[in-house]
Amino acid sequence: MPQETAVYTHGHHESVLRSHTWRTAANSAAYLLDSGAIKPDAKILDIGCGPGTITADLAALVPQGQVVGADHAEGIVAQARATAAERGLTNTEFTTADVHALQWEDDTFDIVHAHQVLQHVGDPLQALREMRRVTKPGGIVAARDSDYSVFAWYPQLPGMDDWLDLYRRVARANGGEPDAGRFLKSWAMQAGFAREDVTCSAGTWCYATAEEIDWWSGLWADRTVASAYADRAKDGHATAEQLTAVSETWREWGTHDDAWFTVVHGEILARKQ
């Protein structure tokens, strides 16, 4: 049976969860919310649910339905359960799962959703095949992934290019694809979806206010030296001194009043016939 072969680049350090807990259905799954696919009685599987903030938002939209949140890491699944409990949700369930070999029967869910998942898995085609398999006929697979190569920022500090180059090398060495956003349409078609059943779009996160810039620069500065990503970067990709230099560049960038950063994402809604 296929199983996960990639290593999750970011890990679950506080600097990573600082970003993940910021995510909502509104700022991270608007393409799905606007599709009209979510019905009050829908059954949804949220793959790679992380701390559960998006999962909880989806659950609030299906009061007569159910949302199952799944993640590879048991510790973060426990946090997702706590998130749902804090919101008083009674239509959620959380479990561990490997997206390459999902434990559910064929044709179980109306929607299978994955946010920033396919860029981190060892076999995105197998993952999409499994997501398609557990989706009901007429249901949809919704996936959104960033594309690091087209991130844009200002000012153009030289050390920021060093950060991007390092991150992409580490992510690929871990078995992932940091530019996954551009591949989603192709991957979906290779996984069995007909071209006419795949709707594509692109979305962004834009950080430009003083508060947003301070938050975004700070979490990357911390992540670069203190997270699992830092440990993996030191495994043949960068020295501790080089990581410190990148971290300091992030902090310097965050001091500029005119700083601006845009994260670009690819998005697909793939309908199962």
Side-chain angles (χ1 to χ4, degrees), residues 22 206-217 253-261:
W22 167 84
C206 185
Y207 306 115
T209 69
E211 293 78 13
E212 290 166 347
I213 292 298
D214 180 67
W215 175 78
W216 185 242
S217 62
W253 177 82
T255 66
H256 289 258
D257 290 341
D258 56 353
W260 179 91
F261 199 106

Side-chain angles (χ1 to χ4, degrees), residues 16-35:
V16 178
L17 295 181
R18 204 182 310 166
S19 172
H20 291 185
T21 55
W22 167 84
R23 298 173 184 175
T24 65
N27 67 30
S28 299
Y31 73 106
L32 173 58
L33 302 188
D34 294 343
S35 71

Side-chain angles (χ1 to χ4, degrees), residues 5 32 40 48 100 129 135 160 191 194 196 219 225 264:
T5 57
L32 173 58
H100 299 90
R129 291 186 193 106
T135 301
M160 296 291 283
E196 59 270 21
L219 68 85
V225 294
V264 179

Side-chain angles (χ1 to χ4, degrees), residues 22-265:
W22 167 84
R23 298 173 184 175
T24 65
N27 67 30
S28 299
Y31 73 106
L32 173 58
L33 302 188
D34 294 343
S35 71
I38 301 177
K39 308 302 182 185
D41 60 350
K43 187 172 185 179
I44 301 174
L45 175 61
D46 187 21
I47 296 287
C49 65
T53 50
I54 296 175
T55 320
D57 286 349
L58 295 175
L61 297 174
V62 292
Q64 289 85 53
Q66 182 190 26
V67 178
V68 178
D71 202 281
H72 199 60
E74 176 59 50
I76 203 64
V77 168
Q79 185 168 337
R81 290 191 185 102
T83 298
E86 289 168 5
R87 299 195 190 183
L89 296 166
T90 59
N91 62 338
T92 59
E93 175 187 326
F94 295 92
T95 186
T96 56
D98 180 351
V99 69
H100 299 90
L102 296 173
Q103 58 263 49
W104 294 279
E105 299 293 328
D106 296 359
D107 307 338
T108 298
F109 299 95
D110 299 293
I111 298 170
V112 177
H113 169 260
H115 184 264
Q116 312 299 348
V117 171
L118 296 177
Q119 64 186 280
H120 295 296
V121 303
D123 189 345
L125 297 185
Q126 175 61 19
L128 280 163
R129 291 186 193 106
E130 279 293 277
M131 293 164 69
R132 183 178 184 274
R133 179 183 65 79
V134 301
T135 301
K136 297 176 182 178
I140 62 170
V141 170
R144 185 182 200 238
D145 272 276
S146 54
D147 191 322
Y148 276 75
S149 287
V150 290
F151 285 8
W153 61 81
Y154 184 86
Q156 300 281 346
L157 302 185
M160 296 291 283
D161 290 326
D162 294 339
W163 159 74
L164 181 59
D165 174 70
L166 175 62
Y167 178 81
R168 293 174 73 236
R169 286 190 285 114
V170 173
R172 289 201 170 111
N174 286 338
E177 175 47 72
D179 299 339
R182 69 185 64 187
F183 294 103
L184 293 180
K185 177 184 177 182
S186 177
W187 286 346
M189 291 170 61
Q190 292 178 69
F193 291 98
R195 179 178 180 179
E196 59 270 21
D197 292 327
V198 182
T199 300
C200 303
S201 56
T204 61
W205 292 328
C206 185
Y207 306 115
T209 69
E211 293 78 13
E212 290 166 347
I213 292 298
D214 180 67
W215 175 78
W216 185 242
S217 62
L219 68 85
W220 269 108
D222 292 342
R223 188 181 303 187
T224 301
V225 294
S227 68
Y229 162 66
D231 294 334
R232 288 156 189 157
K234 284 184 282 190
D235 187 15
H237 302 284
T239 64
E241 292 75 18
Q242 288 170 325
L243 290 174
T244 297
V246 171
S247 176
E248 291 173 350
T249 296
W250 267 109
R251 294 198 188 281
E252 179 187 351
W253 177 82
T255 66
H256 289 258
D257 290 341
D258 56 353
W260 179 91
F261 199 106
T262 295
V263 175
V264 179
H265 311 270

